[in-house]
Every structure is written in C-alpha cells, then in structure tokens.
Amino acid sequence: MKNKKINTIISLLGSLLFLLGFVLLIPLIVSLIYRESLARIYLIPAIISLFLGVITRFKFREDEISLSTGMLVCALGWIIISIVGAIPFYLALDYTYIDTLFETVSGFTTTGITVFSNLSSMPKSILFWRSLIQWLGGLGFLTFFLIVTFRGQSGLFQLFTAESHKINMSRPVPNIFKTVKILWGIYLGFTVLELIILKFLGLSFFDSITHAFTTLSTGGFSNYDQSIAYFQQAGYTNYKIIEYVIILFMALGGINFLVHYKVLTGKVKELWQGIEMKYFWGIIVTITSLILLDHYLHFPLILNKLEETIRHTLFQVISVLTTTGYGTRDINAAFFPALAKQLLLLLMLIGGCVGSTSGGIKLIRVVILNKLFKRELKKISYPKRAVLPVVVDGNIISDSEIFRVIALLFGWLLLIVIGGGITALTSDLPAWNSFSGIFSALGNIGPFYFSVEKMQSLSITIKITYIIAMLAGRLEILPIFIIFNRRTWRG
Amino acid sequence: MKNKKINTIISLLGSLLFLLGFVLLIPLIVSLIYRESLARIYLIPAIISLFLGVITRFKFREDEISLSTGMLVCALGWIIISIVGAIPFYLALDYTYIDTLFETVSGFTTTGITVFSNLSSMPKSILFWRSLIQWLGGLGFLTFFLIVTFRGQSGLFQLFTAESHKINMSRPVPNIFKTVKILWGIYLGFTVLELIILKFLGLSFFDSITHAFTTLSTGGFSNYDQSIAYFQQAGYTNYKIIEYVIILFMALGGINFLVHYKVLTGKVKELWQGIEMKYFWGIIVTITSLILLDHYLHFPLILNKLEETIRHTLFQVISVLTTTGYGTRDINAAFFPALAKQLLLLLMLIGGCVGSTSGGIKLIRVVILNKLFKRELKKISYPKRAVLPVVVDGNIISDSEIFRVIALLFGWLLLIVIGGGITALTSDLPAWNSFSGIFSALGNIGPFYFSVEKMQSLSITIKITYIIAMLAGRLEILPIFIIFNRRTWRG
Ligand SMILES: [K+]
Ligand SMILES: [K+]
C-alpha cells in the first residue's frame, strides 16, 4: 500500500518533469534567435527533465490517489520544477543557487519578488524564461491540481479549495479536459491581445510578449529594474496609454476566468452580477478613493497633475489587489501616506477572484467570512432555533466549507506571524517592514515596504522562509502543512 | 411590546446608576480624609445618579429580557456610567469633557490608556477614583452581564460568550448570586493581599491600595507618569521585589478566577492542568525567551545586568499578555527590537484567560482556533465521512460556538482595520504605529508604539474611535455591533 502510493507520487512528478523538458526548449529557441550561444544552459536541464521523466514513467505505475496525496503531489511538483527550472539562471548568471531558486519559485508562483538586478543587461532568453515561468505558473497551478485530482476519486476536487470547487460548480462543460482547454484558450487569447496592443503602442516585440506574459499571469516580473515606471522614464510617448492598458489587463488577470468565458459567450452582465465581482469593483473604487483622500491630505491638489495622481493610485490598487505587483510608484514612497500603506497591506491579504491567476486569500473567502459575521450578529436577535444559513450567490455554503475557509485564514495568519518574526529576528528591518515582506510573499504579490536591494541582501534563512511562503500562498496553505504531516506519507 | 422592552432597558440602566451613586461616595470619603475640599465634585454626580436611578426604578417595571436586549443593556450601561463617572475628573481638572470621558472609559474597561499628565500633582481622591473605576470595571463587566442575563430566559447566558459559558459550565455552586459572591471574594482577597505586601515593601498606603486595584483588575493605571519604573527611579530600595510582586499579581489577575477558586479549595493541579493554563504558561515562557534572544542579538550580554534584563522582559510579557499594561520599560524603546515589538503586538491580540479580568480575544479562543485548524488538516488525510469534533479539555466544542469565536475574531480584525485607518488618516503617525494604538485600545491593554504625549494630542475623532474600541473590546465586540442594528431596538 505504501509503495503503491509512493509509486503514484513519483509517476505524477515524472510526468510533470517530462513536460518541463519540452517547455525548456522554448527559451532555447529564443536564445538561438538572438544568437546568444546559451543553448547549453537550457539543454542541460531539459535533458535531465526528459531523462527523469521517462524513467519514472516507465518504472512506476500510476494509481488512484487520495486528496492528501493530490495535495502532496501539487506541492512537491512545484518544488521539483522550480529546482530544475532554476538551472538556466544559475548557469548564465552570477548568483548563488539559492538566489536563482528564489527567483524561479517567485516566477512559478507568480509572486514577482526579484533578487536579480541590472535586468536590462541580461541575455534576452533569460528574461524570456523568467517571464515564461510566470505565465506557465499563472494558470498552471490550477490546471495541474485539476488534472491530478481528476485521476482520483470522483468529486474529489470539489473538496479541495473554493477555487476548484467553484470551477467544478459552474464549469461550462462536464469534461474536465475541455474545461482546462477553454481556460487556457482564454488565457492565451488575452495574452496575444495585450501583446498586439503593447506592440502597437511602441514597445518592442520582446517587451510586449514578456510583459503580456507577466500581466495576465498577475506575476509582475518586468524586464526593467524600474518596473512599469520605465516606459515613462525612457521617454515612450504613449506611456500613459501603456499604463492604462496594463491596468486593464491586470484586472482581467485578477477576474475569474469562468466569468470571462461567460462574458465572451454573451453574458456580459456576469462582469458585475456575482457577489465576488461586486466586491472586486467595490474594493477598487473604495480603496482608490481612500488612498486619494489620504494623498491629498498630505499633498496640495494640483489640477494638471490630477490625472497622473489618479492613474498612479489606480495602477497600484489594481496591481496589488490582483496580486500582480507591477509598480509605477514605489509603495514605500511618501506618495502613499500611512493610511495608503495600511490599505495596500490589506489588499495584499485579500487578493483577487477565485479561478483567476491571482494569489491572496481570494475575495470569495472574504465574502464568506463577512456573511458569516453578519449571520452571527443576526443570530443574537433571532429566536434560538432559527436556522440562518450562509448564502453566497444563491448557494448555501456548507459548514464544512466555512471551516475550511477559516482554517485557511488561520494558517495564513500563522505563517505571517512566523515569517514576519523570522524576518525581524534575522535582519535589521523594523517590525512593520518585516511584516510587509511576508505579506507580499504569502500573497504572491511582489512589492513590500523595503528596497529591492535590501531584499537581495537578506539572509538565506529569510530567503528560504519566503520560498516556503510563496509556495504556501500559491498552494493555498494547507498542502504545505500536509507535507510536514507524517500521516500523509503513510499508506 | 416595544415599550415593554424599552422600559426594561431603562429600568436596568437605572439600577446601575443607582449603584454608581453609592460608589461615588467612596472617593468623596477619601477627599474628606485628605481634606481636599473636593466633596462637591463627587456629590454632584452622586446626586444625579441616585436621582435618575430612583425615578427610573419607580417609573419603569422590569421584564424578562432576550439575549440581544441583555447585550444592549451591557453596552449602554457602561457608556452611561462612564458619562457620569467622568464628571469628577471634569470638575477637578483642566481637561476637555471628551478627555475626561476617554480617561473614564479607559478606566472602567481596564484599558489604562491615559490622556492625563503630571499625575503625581493631582488630588489624592482623583487618583483614588481613577484606580477604583478600574477595580470595579475589572470584575464588573462580567458580573453585570451575569446578573442581567440571569433575569432572562434560563440558560440564556450560556449563549453569550465563552466567558459566561465557562463560568456557567464549571461554576462552583448552582446559584448565580453565590458564584458572583465567590468571584468578588477572591478578587477582594487578592487585592488586600497585594496591598499588604506592597505596604510592607515600602509603598505608602495610598500607593499600595491604588496599585493593588489596578494590578488585579489588569487595568494598569499608575499614580506616576513613569508607571512602575517610578519605584526604581524614586530610589525605593525594594524596587526589584516590588516589580516581582506586581508580576505575580498581574498573572493572578490574568488567570480564570474559577481556577483560583479550585486552587484555593485544594485542587492546586488546576493551575497547570487545563489547556488554557498550559497555553498561559507556555506563551509566557516562549515569548519571554524569544524576546530575550532578540534582545541579545542586538545588545551585548552583560552578566551582572542579566537579572535586570530578564526581569524587564518578563514584566512586559506578563503585563501585555494579562492586558495590564504597566511598564518598567517603554515597549517602543530600543530595548525591545523588531521581533520583540511584533510579539508584544501579538500578545495584545491574544489577551489572558476567560473568567479573568483580562481583555483581548482570550486564550481559550486561540486554543479553539488552533484545534479547528488541526482538525481541518486531519480531515484531508482521513476518510471523507470521518467525524472529527473539536475537543477542548474533554468537552466537544459545538459548531455554533466555533462560529461565534470566528465572528468575534473577524469583528476584531475589522475594528483594527477601521480604527488603524482612522488613526493613520487623521494623524501624522506612521502606518505601524497607527495600528498599535487600536490594538491596545481594543485589547484593553494600555501601551502602544508612540508616546503618551502624542496620544494626548491626537484628534477628537481618534479619541472617540478609541472610546468605542475600548468598549467594544471589553464587551467582546458583538454587543457594540448590536447597538447599531435596528432589529435590536424592535420588539
Ligand atoms: K505578483
Ligand atoms: K490594561
């Protein structure tokens, strides 16, 4: 029984490595196009992946898997492909292996915290690989889990997260593989659309495709140290429109892709009718307004700078809410006063919609917690025996689902306390700034309240903590705890 | 029906005012003893209270009350006695009425945030009144709720909070009034004991009784601007022992009084056998060790200062965990590095044991959330239909109780976000420091990460926010929301 389980795990991980082997050929081609003579750095990990993939697939047979095994495979899968995916960075650049692993995990989990500097001097294929892993990670985590659990007991993936739950509840077609195809189709379509628009607005083809990758995946890696502020600084005439376009596509990346599917098939009302979408727009309007209010309590209102201020504010709110993490202004700057800084931290916790590429706790969980809170208040005024279910979009949320949401929130807070503590203990960062780093890592956001140079110089302990946090956030906490549970490894 | 309900509310509030009228005679006597000729400032509110108390008790008749009415009466009760209890401060001192109301609410809720300065120059009877309201508030909130709900449907108070729930579950005698008598007996006994010890160690009788009041009530008001650090600075030879004695009695104030009852009746094991006590001691040891570790990573270890460092650390950990808020060191000082500051903020959230005079979310809720989290992790590895209850000290915690705990936590976080935001918006405090103020107010602690002078200078908006937060924390959140619910006021 035990061997059977471990065989299944190895076999599934082998399949994933096999796939990674082929994916590594894409930056290889890019390096050939740009005549970088870096073929070696992609061929080595590609061959390792394909070799391991083939022998594990031949040696081990797959079997039905349980929920805990599915979670375990998801967690281990992303760790393994990050370990291999880091090899090109390690071979091409002058960083320690831990730093390149950090960058790769930050990529696959679509976190976007970078420990690399002087990005614009790097080989093109390296920058391409860096943005491609974000694009693959964006929809990849969800896909991999759907496929892994689909092999298991029927209805299993319903149990897992609100994410797969919602996907299952309202997926357009009963066949899971067709659903996955539709999701990737929409993802690819939006990416191509953004690529074309950015190219049209004056970006190079290379900048257009890499930024399209990291916008739709809400990843946030840019080819420039200045992030999106680069386009203004480098004198792009269309920089304002570029910023608005990126705002639009970040928002698209943060919305449930099944909502996109419905909108694309004619049900445009879906964009604002579900409660999660109402929260999405409501939060954007409210938080943007509050930050503007806070800003103008600290700075004079100059009319011909009003558009600029609103644009920077809106950009940052959508960037953090969708967990993209692009910047046109440093969130640590005086431009964002104390309340603004608090609100951006709050947005880091919340995150985007389920079924999107966003990280964070996800809006629907905030909705559920809010409804639960109101229900408990109501209970006090109602007769003792009144039954008051928690209803979201007409569906009763079961007690066991509510408990899962709470466990997620509690695990999240626990990791914030632990990670913030480790950061504070092993660095010279103040208490608040230490917390912001772990908020950002766990929410797969990117920015935090200290400088990128500071991040690069932090201890290995902190970097490993953040690697675990980035994975934990992307896997929605529970699988990470599952790894450390002995029972999971038993038969 | 509606009139009947409002009559009951008025009648109960009248009883409370009537009681307050008599209580106000105590500082009146103190002022006569010290020949301060301040009788007037106590007589005026006493007469108002007695007058209002008498007419409402004669005019209105009481009736059975519902849970929501009980909560409403508790919330309104403490607001009304604070409004009247502030009058002596307002008449004797040169502060605005809002400032004196703030101080009174801070007193009754045992928060201990002060907006008064030059305490040692104040009339003795004023300082006495200031510490007496903390002593009355310490056990008063619990008592008042027990008595109010006892009038209602039988078993009603079981529903309310873990506090009254636990009291009911394990109260020593079936009669509620006898239970209350036992609680106050223990409270009074400990207070007298501390008074005697402090007097013996060299404090004046006045300092001994007032500090005994504010230790056991975990209130934290001191007669000195320097708080407990005063005794060292003023050259008391026994200052070390004084500090250890206060550590001991703060801990006693933070422990469930029913545990004290059991210990006093011979069951000494109760001090460490229940899970809440295990958490209590475990947290003290763990957090003290972590803070010491953090401290010594930033400061050299000087052996003949080791005892002092441990003493200051232990003092602050127990002071914050029990929500007393006394200080021998400013928590904002470099003595407590970044991790220490984070941990003290975390302790502000947690608070002491149920059935104690502490504020905060209370340890037992942290236990329940932790057990729930572990249960949810277990669920993943267990067969789908396995029933895994949340068990605390051998008792199964019902789903509805878990939901109440979560609602409390969610309401708490909500108020922290709102209160921290208001502080940041209407002051020049940074984000982190703004949050610390509302953590302290809501947890009924006292200290925060800015200076007392800064607190005194903050806007009325912030002061009113903190007044609401202090009441909300002491009433455990839900009753405050109940006030703003229209349904509560209906029949
Ligand atoms: K990101
Ligand atoms: K206090």
Side-chain angles (χ1 to χ4, degrees):
Chain A
M1 182 66 177
K2 190 175 177 172
N3 284 341
K4 222 171 160 186
K5 185 168 172 180
I6 295 205
N7 281 356
T8 310
I9 293 172
I10 292 177
S11 167
L12 284 165
L13 295 178
S15 311
L16 192 65
L17 274 176
F18 194 69
L19 199 65
L20 180 68
F22 283 103
V23 168
L24 276 160
L25 303 178
I26 303 173
L28 175 67
I29 294 166
V30 174
S31 79
L32 293 175
I33 292 172
Y34 286 99
R35 296 162 195 267
E36 293 174 337
S37 61
L38 286 170
R40 184 182 55 94
I41 67 165
Y42 304 106
L43 266 180
I44 293 171
I47 289 166
I48 293 174
S49 298
L50 291 171
F51 176 74
L52 288 175
V54 169
I55 60 158
T56 50
R57 279 195 69 82
F58 275 89
K59 262 204 131 61
F60 302 104
R61 286 201 41 188
E62 284 170 41
D63 206 344
E64 289 234 323
I65 58 165
S66 67
L67 179 65
S68 61
T69 312
M71 283 187 164
L72 192 64
V73 169
C74 281
L76 293 178
W78 291 101
I79 293 170
I80 285 172
I81 64 165
S82 296
I83 288 171
V84 178
I87 295 176
F89 295 135
Y90 182 67
L91 295 177
L93 308 169
D94 193 23
Y95 287 100
T96 63
Y97 182 71
I98 282 291
D99 276 353
T100 59
L101 180 65
F102 184 98
E103 193 84 6
T104 312
V105 171
S106 177
F108 273 123
T109 59
T110 73
T111 306
I113 300 178
T114 188
V115 288
F116 290 175
S117 44
N118 290 318
L119 294 168
S120 47
S121 68
M122 286 188 180
K124 287 264 192 278
S125 64
I126 283 291
L127 290 175
F128 188 87
W129 177 233
R130 190 165 163 272
S131 62
L132 181 63
I133 57 180
Q134 287 211 320
W135 194 74
L136 294 171
L139 214 53
F141 273 81
L142 179 57
T143 310
F144 188 51
F145 185 79
L146 282 177
I147 290 176
V148 163
T149 51
F150 183 68
R151 298 174 164 278
Q153 301 141 16
S154 68
L156 177 66
F157 52 93
Q158 262 183 318
L159 263 170
F160 182 46
T161 57
E163 197 129 346
S164 52
H165 181 59
K166 191 125 187 197
I167 293 281
N168 187 48
M169 294 262 294
S170 54
R171 64 191 149 108
V173 284
N175 183 311
I176 188 78
F177 291 101
K178 274 195 187 160
T179 307
V180 167
K181 255 191 227 169
I182 288 172
L183 294 177
W184 280 93
I186 294 168
Y187 193 41
L188 188 66
F190 280 153
T191 308
V192 171
L193 187 63
E194 188 186 350
L195 187 170
I196 293 169
I197 295 175
L198 290 180
K199 181 81 189 66
F200 179 78
L201 290 169
L203 269 67
S204 69
F205 180 78
F206 184 78
D207 275 354
S208 301
I209 191 167
T210 47
H211 284 91
F213 277 165
T214 58
T215 313
L216 264 313
S217 62
T218 65
F221 273 154
S222 170
N223 300 331
Y224 304 100
D225 295 342
Q226 307 94 315
S227 187
I228 302 306
Y230 167 82
F231 298 108
Q232 178 177 9
Q233 289 167 25
Y236 283 66
T237 45
N238 291 320
Y239 77 88
K240 285 184 195 175
I241 309 175
I242 292 170
E243 290 177 16
Y244 281 117
V245 166
I246 289 175
I247 288 175
L248 173 69
F249 282 94
M250 287 193 295
L252 291 179
I255 293 173
N256 188 339
F257 275 58
L258 292 178
V259 169
H260 289 320
Y261 177 77
K262 285 179 189 150
V263 172
L264 293 171
T265 54
K267 293 174 198 147
V268 181
K269 279 185 187 170
E270 290 286 330
L271 257 187
W272 60 84
Q273 268 192 340
I275 186 135
E276 198 176 24
M277 290 311 297
K278 280 182 187 146
Y279 267 64
F280 186 78
W281 302 120
I283 286 175
I284 289 172
V285 171
T286 312
I287 305 282
T288 305
S289 308
L290 283 171
I291 292 181
L292 282 171
L293 171 66
D294 195 25
H295 178 84
Y296 282 120
L297 282 176
H298 292 79
F299 295 95
L301 177 64
I302 300 163
L303 268 186
N304 62 2
K305 289 226 170 193
L306 184 61
E307 181 275 337
E308 188 187 313
T309 307
I310 293 176
R311 177 161 37 83
H312 286 317
T313 306
L314 186 65
F315 190 100
Q316 215 52 56
V317 167
I318 295 205
S319 174
V320 174
L321 177 65
T322 63
T323 75
T324 310
Y326 277 154
T328 57
R329 286 275 180 166
D330 183 359
I331 61 166
N332 205 18
F335 183 92
F336 298 108
L339 173 65
K341 289 195 168 71
Q342 290 180 341
L343 292 172
L344 290 173
L345 201 73
L346 183 67
L347 288 185
M348 287 191 193
L349 190 66
I350 295 177
C353 304
V354 291
S356 75
T357 62
S358 293
I361 284 176
K362 308 264 179 356
L363 285 168
I364 196 71
R365 272 100 179 212
V366 178
V367 173
I368 290 173
L369 286 170
N370 199 10
K371 294 238 172 188
L372 173 69
F373 181 64
K374 283 186 184 157
R375 194 263 305 262
E376 292 303 307
L377 286 182
K378 251 191 202 164
K379 261 191 188 168
I380 295 166
S381 317
Y382 276 70
K384 209 175 164 182
R385 299 278 167 233
V387 176
L388 298 166
V390 173
V391 180
V392 172
D393 281 340
N395 301 312
I396 292 178
I397 307 295
S398 71
D399 284 2
S400 64
E401 184 158 350
I402 296 175
F403 286 136
R404 264 199 315 281
V405 171
I406 290 148
L408 175 72
L409 181 70
F410 187 80
W412 206 280
L413 296 176
L414 199 65
L415 289 179
I416 283 179
V417 169
I418 296 170
I422 291 174
T423 312
L425 189 68
T426 63
S427 76
D428 57 355
L429 286 169
W432 161 260
N433 311 60
S434 297
F435 271 129
S436 77
I438 197 75
F439 264 81
S440 188
L442 206 53
N444 302 128
I445 321 281
F448 32 66
Y449 293 130
F450 49 93
S451 69
V452 173
E453 295 74 38
K454 185 77 203 167
M455 178 68 230
Q456 291 157 357
S457 71
L458 289 178
S459 69
I460 286 190
T461 316
I462 296 179
K463 283 178 184 165
I464 291 172
T465 306
Y466 282 20
I467 286 175
I468 295 170
M470 291 189 286
L471 284 164
R474 178 46 77 179
L475 293 164
E476 308 210 305
I477 308 295
L478 302 185
I480 284 289
F481 284 94
I482 285 291
I483 294 183
F484 298 106
N485 188 342
R486 219 184 314 159
R487 204 188 153 85
T488 314
W489 296 88
R490 278 194 245 128
Chain B
M1 181 69 178
K2 188 174 176 170
N3 283 342
K4 221 170 162 187
K5 184 168 174 179
I6 294 202
N7 281 357
T8 310
I9 293 172
I10 293 177
S11 165
L12 283 164
L13 295 177
S15 310
L16 193 65
L17 274 174
F18 194 69
L19 201 64
L20 179 69
F22 283 103
V23 168
L24 275 159
L25 302 179
I26 303 172
L28 174 67
I29 295 165
V30 174
S31 79
L32 293 176
I33 292 171
Y34 285 99
R35 297 161 196 266
E36 293 174 335
S37 61
L38 286 170
R40 182 183 55 94
I41 68 165
Y42 304 105
L43 265 180
I44 293 172
I47 290 166
I48 293 174
S49 297
L50 292 171
F51 176 74
L52 287 176
V54 169
I55 61 160
T56 51
R57 280 197 67 82
F58 276 89
K59 260 205 133 60
F60 302 104
R61 287 202 39 189
E62 284 169 42
D63 206 343
E64 289 234 323
I65 59 165
S66 67
L67 180 64
S68 61
T69 312
M71 284 188 166
L72 192 64
V73 169
C74 281
L76 293 177
W78 292 100
I79 293 169
I80 285 172
I81 64 165
S82 296
I83 289 172
V84 178
I87 294 176
F89 296 134
Y90 183 67
L91 295 177
L93 307 169
D94 193 22
Y95 289 98
T96 64
Y97 181 71
I98 283 290
D99 276 354
T100 58
L101 180 65
F102 184 99
E103 193 83 4
T104 312
V105 171
S106 177
F108 274 123
T109 59
T110 71
T111 307
I113 300 178
T114 186
V115 288
F116 290 176
S117 46
N118 290 319
L119 293 168
S120 47
S121 68
M122 286 188 180
K124 287 265 193 280
S125 66
I126 283 292
L127 290 174
F128 188 87
W129 178 232
R130 190 165 162 271
S131 62
L132 181 63
I133 57 180
Q134 288 210 321
W135 194 74
L136 295 171
L139 215 53
F141 273 81
L142 180 57
T143 311
F144 188 51
F145 186 79
L146 283 177
I147 289 175
V148 163
T149 52
F150 182 70
R151 299 176 162 277
Q153 301 140 16
S154 68
L156 176 67
F157 52 93
Q158 261 185 318
L159 263 170
F160 182 45
T161 58
E163 198 129 347
S164 50
H165 181 60
K166 192 126 188 194
I167 295 280
N168 186 48
M169 294 262 296
S170 54
R171 63 193 151 107
V173 284
N175 184 311
I176 189 77
F177 290 101
K178 272 195 187 159
T179 307
V180 167
K181 252 191 230 169
I182 288 172
L183 293 178
W184 280 93
I186 295 169
Y187 194 42
L188 188 66
F190 281 152
T191 307
V192 171
L193 187 63
E194 187 186 348
L195 187 170
I196 293 169
I197 296 175
L198 290 180
K199 182 81 189 63
F200 179 78
L201 289 169
L203 268 66
S204 69
F205 181 79
F206 184 78
D207 276 354
S208 302
I209 189 168
T210 49
H211 284 91
F213 277 165
T214 58
T215 313
L216 265 313
S217 61
T218 65
F221 273 154
S222 169
N223 299 332
Y224 303 99
D225 295 343
Q226 307 94 312
S227 188
I228 303 306
Y230 168 83
F231 298 108
Q232 177 177 9
Q233 288 167 27
Y236 283 67
T237 45
N238 291 320
Y239 76 89
K240 285 184 197 179
I241 308 175
I242 292 172
E243 289 178 17
Y244 282 116
V245 165
I246 289 176
I247 288 175
L248 172 70
F249 282 94
M250 287 194 294
L252 292 178
I255 293 172
N256 188 338
F257 275 58
L258 292 178
V259 170
H260 289 320
Y261 177 77
K262 285 178 189 151
V263 171
L264 293 172
T265 53
K267 295 174 197 146
V268 181
K269 280 185 186 171
E270 290 286 330
L271 257 187
W272 60 84
Q273 268 193 339
I275 185 135
E276 198 176 24
M277 288 313 296
K278 280 182 186 146
Y279 267 65
F280 187 78
W281 301 120
I283 286 175
I284 290 172
V285 172
T286 312
I287 304 280
T288 305
S289 308
L290 283 172
I291 292 180
L292 282 172
L293 171 67
D294 195 26
H295 177 84
Y296 282 120
L297 282 176
H298 292 78
F299 295 94
L301 177 64
I302 301 162
L303 269 185
N304 63 0
K305 289 228 169 189
L306 184 63
E307 181 275 336
E308 188 187 314
T309 307
I310 294 175
R311 177 163 34 86
H312 287 316
T313 305
L314 185 67
F315 189 100
Q316 214 53 55
V317 166
I318 294 203
S319 173
V320 174
L321 177 65
T322 62
T323 76
T324 310
Y326 277 153
T328 57
R329 285 275 180 166
D330 183 358
I331 61 166
N332 206 17
F335 183 93
F336 298 107
L339 174 65
K341 288 196 168 70
Q342 291 179 342
L343 292 172
L344 291 173
L345 200 74
L346 183 68
L347 289 184
M348 287 190 192
L349 190 66
I350 295 176
C353 304
V354 293
S356 76
T357 61
S358 292
I361 284 176
K362 308 265 179 354
L363 283 169
I364 195 74
R365 271 99 179 213
V366 178
V367 174
I368 291 173
L369 285 171
N370 199 9
K371 294 239 171 188
L372 174 69
F373 181 64
K374 284 186 182 155
R375 194 265 304 261
E376 292 302 307
L377 286 181
K378 252 192 203 164
K379 260 192 190 169
I380 295 166
S381 317
Y382 275 69
K384 209 176 162 180
R385 300 279 165 232
V387 175
L388 299 166
V390 173
V391 180
V392 172
D393 281 341
N395 300 311
I396 292 180
I397 307 296
S398 70
D399 285 0
S400 64
E401 184 158 351
I402 296 174
F403 285 136
R404 261 196 322 275
V405 171
I406 290 148
L408 174 72
L409 181 69
F410 186 80
W412 206 280
L413 296 177
L414 199 66
L415 288 178
I416 282 179
V417 169
I418 296 170
I422 290 174
T423 312
L425 189 69
T426 62
S427 76
D428 57 356
L429 286 169
W432 162 260
N433 312 60
S434 298
F435 272 129
S436 78
I438 197 77
F439 265 81
S440 187
L442 206 52
N444 302 130
I445 322 279
F448 31 67
Y449 293 130
F450 48 93
S451 69
V452 172
E453 295 75 38
K454 184 78 204 167
M455 179 67 230
Q456 291 158 357
S457 72
L458 290 178
S459 68
I460 286 190
T461 317
I462 296 178
K463 283 178 183 164
I464 291 173
T465 306
Y466 283 19
I467 287 176
I468 294 170
M470 291 188 288
L471 285 165
R474 178 47 75 181
L475 294 163
E476 309 211 302
I477 307 295
L478 302 184
I480 283 290
F481 285 94
I482 287 291
I483 293 183
F484 298 108
N485 187 343
R486 218 185 312 160
R487 205 189 152 86
T488 315
W489 294 89
R490 278 194 244 127

